[in-house]
Amino acid sequence: MHKRTRHAITLTVAGVLLATGTAAAADAAAGPSLRPIPEPTASVPPSPVPSPAPSTSPAASPTPEASPKPKLPSGKATATSFWDAATASGKPMRYKTIASPYWPLGTKVKITYRGKSVIGFVEDFGPAEWAVAQHDIPAIVDLSEKMMADLTGVRSNVVHVRFEVLKWGTGRVYRRSGTGYDLAMGRS
């Protein structure tokens, strides 16, 4: 068969597929069918206009099924305070700056202490491994001194907080294991 003829047939079959919305035309263009085409049932009278046939093929599905979103980590942790002139993200230190060795830069986190909540963004890495491990609940998060003062009334402090990751960031991660990693990932 000539190339132009094949192309014209393919376009015609594709036009039929668009006009009828059936998968049968696509199967005809692709060659012999590997799955049987369902026969009309006796309880449904034949209609003069072809109706779209249900398809079991995921590729032919008009709307893909929504995949369940993974649960974001939350839990109880120790929070310490810090203040640096520069951050790992390159952004200047600010009120909403949070540091974590395990969460990617840009991660949005809600921190709650005694009923009061603030939202910050991971813009730096810390606390250090030794600092994480020295607390009864691992210190997986550093809060800016201004945020700590707003939550506790004291700029330099170490407190137990509830954390809730609201949205994952897309930046770098400092560590992918260590003391407190499972807690940070919501696994303990």
Side-chain angles (χ1 to χ4, degrees):
M1 195 182 304
H2 295 296
K3 190 175 184 179
R4 284 186 187 180
T5 306
R6 242 187 333 205
H7 183 67
I9 291 172
T10 303
L11 290 177
T12 303
V13 171
V16 171
L17 174 63
L18 288 175
T20 63
T22 64
D27 290 341
S33 177
L34 298 177
R35 62 183 163 89
I37 297 174
E39 295 292 325
T41 60
S43 63
V44 179
S47 64
V49 178
S51 62
S55 173
T56 57
S57 167
S61 177
T63 55
E65 293 182 25
S67 60
K69 291 184 179 180
K71 186 177 181 232
L72 296 173
S74 63
K76 189 172 183 180
T78 299
T80 56
S81 56
F82 81 112
W83 194 267
D84 282 329
T87 65
S89 67
K91 296 179 180 178
M93 187 75 182
R94 61 190 179 134
Y95 173 87
K96 292 190 177 224
T97 298
I98 292 177
S100 173
Y102 305 119
W103 297 326
L105 293 176
T107 297
K108 185 177 182 180
V109 184
K110 179 179 178 181
I111 303 292
T112 305
Y113 176 74
R114 294 188 178 173
K116 187 171 185 177
S117 297
V118 293
I119 294 178
F121 297 89
V122 176
E123 295 175 341
D124 205 5
F125 301 127
E129 176 68 23
W130 63 267
V132 172
Q134 74 178 359
H135 300 282
D136 58 340
I137 302 173
I140 61 168
V141 65
D142 271 344
L143 308 179
S144 73
E145 285 183 346
K146 291 179 182 179
M147 186 183 288
M148 183 66 82
D150 192 25
L151 282 175
T152 69
V154 180
R155 289 177 70 90
S156 182
N157 210 342
V158 177
V159 294
H160 290 161
V161 297
R162 298 233 18 108
F163 70 89
E164 180 182 353
V165 172
L166 302 176
K167 182 179 177 187
W168 285 119
T170 58
R172 298 177 320 214
V173 174
Y174 184 66
R175 286 198 307 263
R176 297 187 188 277
S177 65
T179 307
Y181 179 79
D182 286 339
L183 173 62
M185 295 299 125
R187 297 186 200 137
S188 61

